[in-house]
Amino acid sequence: MVASRSARERKAAVEAGPLATAKIDLDAQQQFSYKVACTVCRNTASRGTRPRAWSTYRPGGDNGYMAAMDRWIFHLVEKHPGVEAPCLAYLEAAQQRLHERRE
Ligand SMILES: [Zn+2]
């Protein structure tokens, strides 16, 4: 359990790219909960130039991973255009899922 959790954490960090920090907690049901945070927005928040740091927290194992990564992809595209990250390969799929959720 512990090894697979840290392996998942590393995978999430790699996919999220250099701007993100990825963390996994276990929730009350012993499911993985994913937290993805933006290091750039955190730094600017601590300097007081931006009111809020950005992070997303999504419980629910693999669904949570996907939901957290989708939100992170949208954050990257909106706030940090031009930044490379492996997860941007899933931008189209993320937009498709967003569209499906809205219907
Ligand atoms: Zn950011």
Side-chain angles (χ1 to χ4, degrees):
M1 188 60 116
V2 174
S4 97
R5 177 176 161 189
S6 59
R8 280 161 179 262
E9 221 167 51
R10 277 196 302 275
K11 177 177 179 283
V14 168
E15 292 206 327
L19 293 194
T21 57
K23 250 185 72 63
I24 297 175
D25 294 325
L26 284 177
D27 68 13
Q29 284 81 43
Q30 299 297 300
Q31 289 228 54
F32 292 123
S33 291
Y34 287 88
K35 184 173 188 192
V36 179
C38 180
T39 57
V40 174
C41 291
R42 188 178 63 207
N43 290 341
T44 52
S46 67
R47 283 203 301 270
T49 52
R50 198 189 288 251
R52 268 180 309 155
W54 188 92
S55 71
T56 182
Y57 187 73
R58 285 291 185 277
D62 288 337
N63 287 337
Y65 175 70
M66 209 179 268
M69 207 51 88
D70 283 0
R71 285 211 55 210
W72 169 242
I73 290 168
F74 295 135
H75 177 78
L76 267 183
V77 170
E78 270 173 38
K79 303 289 183 187
H80 312 289
V83 170
E84 291 288 327
C87 63
L88 290 176
Y90 312 128
L91 175 60
E92 217 167 278
Q95 283 167 335
Q96 183 65 33
R97 281 191 289 271
L98 182 72
H99 186 69
E100 281 165 11
R101 278 198 294 273
R102 278 177 179 168
E103 276 174 357

